[in-house]
Amino acid sequence: MYPVDLLNRRNESFVLWVPGSSSAANAPKLIIGNVIKSGSSKTFSQIARLPLVPSPDKSGLWLLGPSSISPPLADGVYHYWFEVNDTSPESRGTLLVSDPFAFAVDYSVANTTDPSVPPQPASVVRLRDDKLWPCDIDGADPPRPAVPSLAALPSNNHLVIYELPASWAKIGNDHRGVDVDVGTFADVLALFKSDAPGDHFSAVAAVHKEAILANLGINALELLPAADSKTQDEWGYATAHYFAPDYNLGTASDLVRLVDAIHGQNTRFFTDVVMAFGHDSYGSIDFPDFHIRPTLETNNPDSYQSHASGVLRDGYGGDSWRYLRTVQSYDPETGAGTSGVHPSWAFHRSQLARWMADFGVDGLRLDSVNNIGNWDFVRSYKERAWELYNARYGGSPAPAGTDPSKFLVIGEELSMPISMVQQGVLNALWNEPWQGRLRAVLLGEVANDVDFASTVRKLVDCRLDDKLDGGTRFTDGAQAINYITSHDIEGFRKERLYNFLSSNGIWDVERRAKLAFALLLTSVGIPMIFAGEEFADQMDRSVDMAKKQTDPVNYSRKNDGGWRQALFDYVANLVRFRTACPALGENETDFFHVDASRGGKIMAWRRGQVSGATSTHVVVVANFSDEQTPGSQYVVPNWPGRDLPGWREVSQRRDVPADWVGREPLIPWEAKIYTRWREDGT
């Protein structure tokens, strides 16, 4: 069962919700049949073409029970479309379209070969005992993932997120050429389990014989949109079938296996969701109620972005979702017969319920929230996500045992509307200025701040950045997602770290990369690692940015036996430290040393609270210059807890003699990380 009336009705009938149509004269039709396989080819054999029937008491709801189909259907797997009159501005006449609520689609059986008409893959369903059941395209019944123990999952302030386009899990070649992305959910699983070969990894020793991401120690996996996209050669942001896992990445069963596996490693599952625009079949079924062309409705406030005055929303080749429209219609969530409904709101809240229930989502990233253009909808979506999370662990509203630190709804918008967080529209935002400051610091530059020390302070403690959204600030580390690199590698100083350093004449990539990760993994905020940065993978195809979406991680570089392997080991050590050390989950930060004699390029700061003899705070000392400290010692004054026993240096995994606490020298571009905390409590 689902907390969505329409999804439950799909077990009894073929269902199509068309808020703008209840007239039998314009009845949509069901086209249903079998797929006949002959070698590698598939042929659709139509069994029936029948009109759907309007519900007598649910305005806009169309139904057809399987028992109404003639000739009678035997138990088995069926492919189907809906036949509708195109309501888009192009008005292309009668079309076959996919079920917008389909749980599985099959692109090998498409409705057209005409390149001028967007392909609509067949929707797939299984009939058993006169009931309709979700299934994979091979007919398998996908299970639901087990609900993980809440106590075992990491809290938001101890997350380390790994951002991965699922197709990038494997480098290979196909009709697009060499070195393109051919990864699947099974290949992502191989990154976590050494005994999972993946679909394509048998020749990649770094994956076939290891579990790279388990060894890295990350505790949150963020897949770029896992819902079905109309494109094969992009990251998945052209979402076409919101309720179905991506056809090229694998089946629902494959995704559940992945989610169960990472939950078994106490790792949370995040997915990206694209709700600013879509490539879905509602663009033909009921365009006026679900979509908008901003250039055609410039007097409609729904046409404009929410945090950029006068800027039209961008469909990026799709159609912008319409969010201000209210209709009197059946409510697919509550089942109410006729009520005031925002069609797009109800659609997206329904697909949220599907993903939360069937794929165990533990967090969400909402793409381009300004381009959605409606804060009320974003707030509603966020609040519904929290209701579903709370219900997973015992009911809604939240029971006493539900932990609010184990779920998160993140927004992405480079204009940094932090007021969306402070007003409760979102829980967190991507902290894009963090990347800019880091890249400046790695070159010894000031990033639009008063001086170098100010740049470092705002880098280390995001709460100090007062240049965002009219002075609105982050107030907690769990509100900011910091990153060295993201999938958005296009633009000034956005490229992969290796390419950024190389293009700026930095020959010792390993040392600067280690400094970058030391800062990322000890700063206030949630650190996110873009796939491949943990061993400084480099851009191959995406040197030509037109190919950036098909420039996958080359995981074979990780085991080079040299500096990349050393970098991976360094990062993995700090990831484990970040996920476990209590002080790094706190906001408290104190910059107690800036060496003015060296241009402010040597600094020291404390993370976490000082609590007397039992204090387990963290101290970071960093040299942002080309010069090593002179002599055998470099004394850092005002070291908090210098006289306490048990200090160790984390990045080099060694104890520090009492006489050397706060006195160790630094080589150029080095950060040393000290603490008295030990994971075993000794």
Side-chain angles (χ1 to χ4, degrees), residues 46 307 423 489 543 580 659:
Q46 181 174 312
H307 203 257
Q423 294 177 27
I489 57 173
V543 172
D659 292 344

Side-chain angles (χ1 to χ4, degrees), residues 614-626:
T614 61
S615 183
T616 55
H617 55 277
V618 173
V619 172
V620 182
V621 185
N623 181 3
F624 300 100
S625 76
D626 292 324

Side-chain angles (χ1 to χ4, degrees), residues 307-568:
H307 203 257
S309 178
V311 178
L312 289 172
R313 296 167 62 196
D314 193 333
Y316 292 99
D319 283 308
S320 299
W321 286 95
R322 189 185 295 270
Y323 286 110
L324 288 180
R325 190 176 188 87
T326 303
V327 298
Q328 292 297 311
S329 167
Y330 159 75
D331 187 331
E333 291 187 278
T334 67
T338 303
S339 61
V341 177
H342 297 290
S344 293
W345 291 39
F347 177 82
H348 285 299
R349 285 163 53 101
S350 296
Q351 56 96 351
L352 170 65
R354 148 75 163 163
W355 282 83
M356 292 285 289
D358 290 346
F359 302 115
V361 171
D362 306 297
L364 297 150
R365 174 194 176 271
L366 311 188
D367 183 64
S368 192
V369 290
N370 274 356
N371 200 22
I372 292 173
N374 191 298
W375 285 21
D376 290 337
F377 163 70
V378 175
R379 184 194 302 272
S380 169
Y381 188 90
K382 187 250 335 186
E383 291 176 350
R384 183 56 174 154
W386 275 95
E387 290 171 359
L388 294 167
Y389 161 74
N390 290 330
R392 179 186 297 169
Y393 289 101
S396 182
T402 298
D403 188 340
S405 74
K406 304 294 180 78
F407 190 75
L408 198 65
V409 179
I410 303 164
E412 179 268 335
E413 174 49 55
L414 301 187
S415 66
M416 296 299 295
I418 297 177
S419 50
M420 293 187 81
V421 175
Q422 304 309 342
Q423 294 177 27
V425 179
L426 292 164
N427 301 133
L429 276 176
W430 269 24
N431 186 11
E432 191 266 349
W434 196 95
Q435 181 188 37
R437 285 194 172 90
L438 174 79
R439 303 259 169 145
V441 162
L442 292 179
L443 301 180
E445 298 176 357
V446 179
N448 195 31
D449 295 304
V450 174
D451 53 26
F452 186 81
S454 178
T455 293
V456 174
R457 287 189 178 97
K458 293 177 181 179
L459 179 75
V460 171
D461 188 349
C462 61
R463 301 172 302 156
L464 300 178
D465 193 347
D466 58 356
K467 295 185 176 181
L468 306 172
D469 199 11
T472 306
R473 302 190 189 195
F474 292 115
T475 57
D476 184 83
Q479 298 172 350
I481 313 301
N482 301 332
Y483 51 89
I484 298 169
T485 312
S486 76
H487 70 270
D488 288 325
I489 57 173
E490 185 174 6
F492 179 66
R493 292 186 173 178
K494 302 289 188 185
E495 65 268 45
R496 279 197 176 275
L497 183 60
Y498 176 94
N499 297 83
F500 165 74
L501 295 172
S502 298
S503 65
N504 281 280
I506 307 302
W507 63 270
D508 192 349
V509 172
E510 177 187 1
R511 186 178 297 179
R512 299 290 174 100
K514 286 181 176 178
L515 175 59
F517 275 101
L519 293 166
L520 176 70
L521 293 166
T522 61
S523 292
V524 177
I526 297 173
M528 182 182 78
I529 300 173
F530 179 49
E533 292 296 78
E534 66 273 19
F535 55 87
D537 194 24
Q538 62 200 66
M539 292 155 56
D540 298 309
R541 288 171 58 85
S542 57
V543 172
D544 173 4
M545 281 297 168
K547 299 178 180 178
K548 67 180 182 177
Q549 297 192 47
T550 55
D551 190 359
V553 180
N554 186 345
Y555 282 104
S556 62
R557 286 187 173 124
K558 178 253 181 185
N559 285 0
D560 70 344
W563 69 268
R564 279 192 163 105
Q565 179 69 60
L567 175 61
F568 179 91

